[in-house]
Amino acid sequence: PPSWHGNDALRFSSTYAQGTTVRGFLCSDFVRIGPYGSFSPFCCVTSVSGMFDGSGIAGFAPPSRRDPNSQFPPLPPLFLSLANVTGQDTAKHDMPVPKPIFSFLSSPHNAELQLGGYDEDSVEGKMMTVDSLSKYAYVVPVTSISLGKTPILTLTPDAKSSPHPKASAILDSGTTCVCLPDNHMKGAAEGLSPWERFSKAWEGETLNSLHVEVDGRIQVEIPSSVWVPQMQGVKGCLMKHCPNDHIVLGDWLFQSWLVMFDLGPTSEEKAPSIGFAKRRGSYKVGQNYQTHERKGGVTKVAMSREKLSKQFDTPNMPGYAKPPPSTPSS
């Protein structure tokens, strides 16, 4: 019998950090990534709207916040099912990821998912971790941004002295470049807005790296070889309408660093832990790996970038339940 099931009457929509909205209906199937598999609910997408095409690493977000106006619990992200974070999955044929940790890195043409941790051969230096500022998204405190010698984000004295982070960045693999707010970030940014500073400076800084300081101690360098080609070749690359005045660090980050996401704390309703490690310069992303456990229990899964269609045909396949006919209003 087919393992896939979908019901068009159960509608679903989700909006991502850069404004892309996907819509569809609820489905379920046995999902396998590399050697791991689990029966999982997910959204079968029928349309995508917004600036970009909805591409990115889907289903690996933290658990969603429960909607108080809905009788239904939020759809669990795919990775929570795949890693059996809740411990409720006891099906004999399932094979969960051994640790609820994954890492992500990308290149202009490929990307790579590392399941169960991270491959130490893909990085140089040590892994530096910080707790997410949110239980429901990957958000890190940002203490400064500079482009070459040009300051892009300088915190105000009040923001610097605050015991709570006043400037933060969402990490989003589905954002092509970066989003910098065109405002003072609710009093956190000094002088010109980060978007205005970057807009005025970038054409004179094309030989220099973009430096993002996370949590006052993690120095993330994005080389010009990553950010310049996209600024020159992608229309709308630098965005300024950012969600809730958060900076959004997109694909530039994942092309420069390995970023590790530990969802273990979410089983106790705590925020995920996020790790940053500098990519080894000689490391080739997205090779055709054998899907078996590598050293340290980490499995690497290669991915390629593909352009997605903005409209999708509703599937005509076993297990699909059509929506009920609408009743005419009297």
Side-chain angles (χ1 to χ4, degrees), residues 31 33 38 40-42 58-61 75-84:
V31 178
I33 300 179
S38 174
S40 307
F42 54 90
F60 280 66
L75 192 66
L78 170 63
F79 186 70
L80 264 67
S81 299
L82 198 65
N84 192 19

Side-chain angles (χ1 to χ4, degrees), residues 88-173:
Q88 296 174 347
D89 188 350
T90 58
K92 292 182 179 179
H93 57 275
D94 289 6
M95 184 176 177
V97 178
K99 294 179 182 178
I101 304 170
F102 71 94
S103 301
F104 187 63
L105 56 168
S106 66
S107 71
H109 303 291
N110 301 302
E112 180 175 307
L113 189 60
Q114 299 183 359
L115 300 171
Y118 73 100
D119 176 14
E120 294 183 359
D121 290 341
S122 62
V123 302
E124 55 187 37
K126 65 178 183 177
M127 175 69 70
M128 296 163 285
T129 61
V130 59
D131 290 339
S132 175
L133 296 177
S134 170
K135 292 191 291 185
Y136 309 107
Y138 301 124
V139 185
V140 296
V142 173
T143 37
S144 72
I145 301 177
S146 60
L147 182 59
K149 294 184 178 180
T150 304
I152 302 299
L153 170 65
T154 303
L155 297 182
T156 61
D158 285 348
K160 288 180 181 177
S161 61
S162 171
H164 304 291
K166 294 298 183 181
S168 55
I170 298 170
L171 309 185
D172 179 42
S173 65

Side-chain angles (χ1 to χ4, degrees), residues 217-268:
R217 57 189 174 85
I218 303 174
Q219 307 296 331
V220 176
E221 179 184 358
I222 299 171
S224 59
S225 59
V226 169
W227 72 264
V228 171
Q230 292 191 323
M231 281 297 297
Q232 293 174 338
V234 178
K235 185 180 179 180
C237 179
L238 177 65
M239 297 184 292
K240 62 180 180 180
H241 300 295
C242 311
N244 297 322
D245 296 333
H246 287 296
I247 295 159
V248 181
L249 298 177
D251 199 40
W252 290 358
L253 171 65
F254 298 102
Q255 286 199 43
S256 310
W257 286 61
L258 178 144
V259 186
M260 183 182 74
F261 302 89
D262 183 354
L263 274 76
T266 64
S267 64
E268 300 177 350

